[in-house]
Amino acid sequence: MAQNYHIVTYGCQMNLHESEKIAGILKKIGYENETTLEEADIVVFNTCCIRENAENHAFGNIGALKQLKRKKPDMIIAVGGCMTQEKGKTDVLKKKFPFIDVMFGALNIEELESLILRKRQQKKKIISIREEAGEIIENIQPVRTSYPNAWVNITYGCNNFCSYCIVPYVRGRERSRKPENIINEVKSLIAEGYKEITLLGQNVNSYGADGSTGMDFAQLLDAVASIEGKFRLRFMTSHPKDFTEDVVAVMEKHRKICRLVHLPVQSGSNSILQAMNRRYTREKYLSEIELLKTRLPEAEVTTDIIVGFPGETEEDYLQTEDLVKRVDFASAFTFVYSPRQGTKAAAMDNQIDEATQKQRIMRLVELVNLLTRQKSEKYVGKTVEILCEDFDEKKGMYMGRDEFGRMGYFHSEKDCIGNFVLLRIIKANGISLYGEMV
Ligand code: 5AD
Ligand code: SF4
């Protein structure tokens, strides 16, 4: 009999796509319907550990399952992802939440099938974490949840060891997928009707850097963009230390590559960038923006910024504000620095007090919001192409993004999901745009 599943995902796009693969594994062993938590026969938590609040969030949600598990003892509770991969975390989880049935890591999701099958046979809990990443697994069929967009991994792991970041410790060394596997996956997604492909990697620009693929990122991007059909192509995340002219040249060559680059700057201060081990300067970053905008004047950039990194002075912070104003980002994800156990920055003795961190993040968010609002207003009166993604029940309107990731809302008599639609923008509200179909 078909059984029900429920997956709770924390963190980034990468993790959302991992959850699609987890759903694929569950489907293979009889969990066919995605349902609410209460109706589920298996609940999987796909955790994130990039900042402390992501961990706390997962802790809270797992803890809240205690009652339900008491009522439904046969329901399987599995916890996996980045958090279980951290040193010593499975012991903490075991103690705090003895009702967890299965724990797996970020490096062995393909094992989930056999772990669950084993759990069905025995009472004892099952914990299996792999220390080092193995071969890339190619045969998991994801259950995709983001039509008309589809995520496609190009690399896994990260070799950069930015001093604040836990990713290299939990996701292992960088591995690149073979170009033919990526290209075949994209070809079949386009044949299935997907209209937007997002290539995913912690640092897409270092694709193939170990020499294992016979192609670098620019060549791969060129090959994927050469696949026939009308679709949008996105890629993330780019690293400023590796972002090169040849990628811009490929963007120029193919109009289906969105003119949007997610290029996390993290800080506008050279001394902080150095302490973060980012291996570029603010001058290099600004010169990359200039290169991009000279060659592709319509191009936009989004970014990630951390405030309150150890040793950050008011002057350093103001350098970040200055850089944000100069670049005029399309949008920016802003974070308060969160010490992660085992990273270099967590051991630095010049941590910033919480009050200063809070005050800086509030000022930065205000600045970023102001710039985003100003950008939105410039849209009014223009006509933009939207890829319709969904219907917003609350607003009673269809919604979709333009190539720069801006959400546009509109009314339509017929179902538009998956269609490219031309919208004349009549109103802007914060980051949202409202328009009429033309
Ligand atoms: N504290 C705060 N933000 C972090 N990020 C990564 N590690 C940390 C940390 N320890 C942010 C970076 C990165 C984004 C995905 O998360 O800005 O680009
Ligand atoms: Fe973390 Fe830096 Fe790797 Fe991004 S590039 S995942 S911030 S170590």
Side-chain angles (χ1 to χ4, degrees), residues 423-437:
L423 275 197
R424 200 172 61 81
I425 304 304
I426 46 179
K427 195 177 91 179
N429 184 4
I431 54 164
S432 306
L433 308 172
Y434 293 83
E436 288 169 344
M437 281 167 83

Side-chain angles (χ1 to χ4, degrees), residues 50 157-168 202-203 237 239 266 276-278:
I50 198 144
C158 183
N159 286 351
N160 292 319
F161 290 94
C162 299
S163 63
Y164 51 81
C165 188
I166 199 166
V167 168
Q202 304 292 350
N203 173 6
T237 294
H239 195 307
Q266 313 298 359
M276 287 176 162
N277 190 32
R278 290 291 287 177

Side-chain angles (χ1 to χ4, degrees), residues 12 49-52 162-167 202 237 262 264-266 276 278 303-307 309 333-340 343 345:
C12 57
C49 62
I50 198 144
R51 282 171 292 275
E52 195 186 355
C162 299
S163 63
Y164 51 81
C165 188
I166 199 166
V167 168
Q202 304 292 350
T237 294
H262 183 58
V265 68
Q266 313 298 359
M276 287 176 162
R278 290 291 287 177
T303 201
D304 296 343
I305 301 169
I306 298 175
V307 297
F309 184 82
F333 300 96
T334 51
F335 308 106
V336 172
Y337 165 70
S338 170
R340 305 284 67 211
T343 61

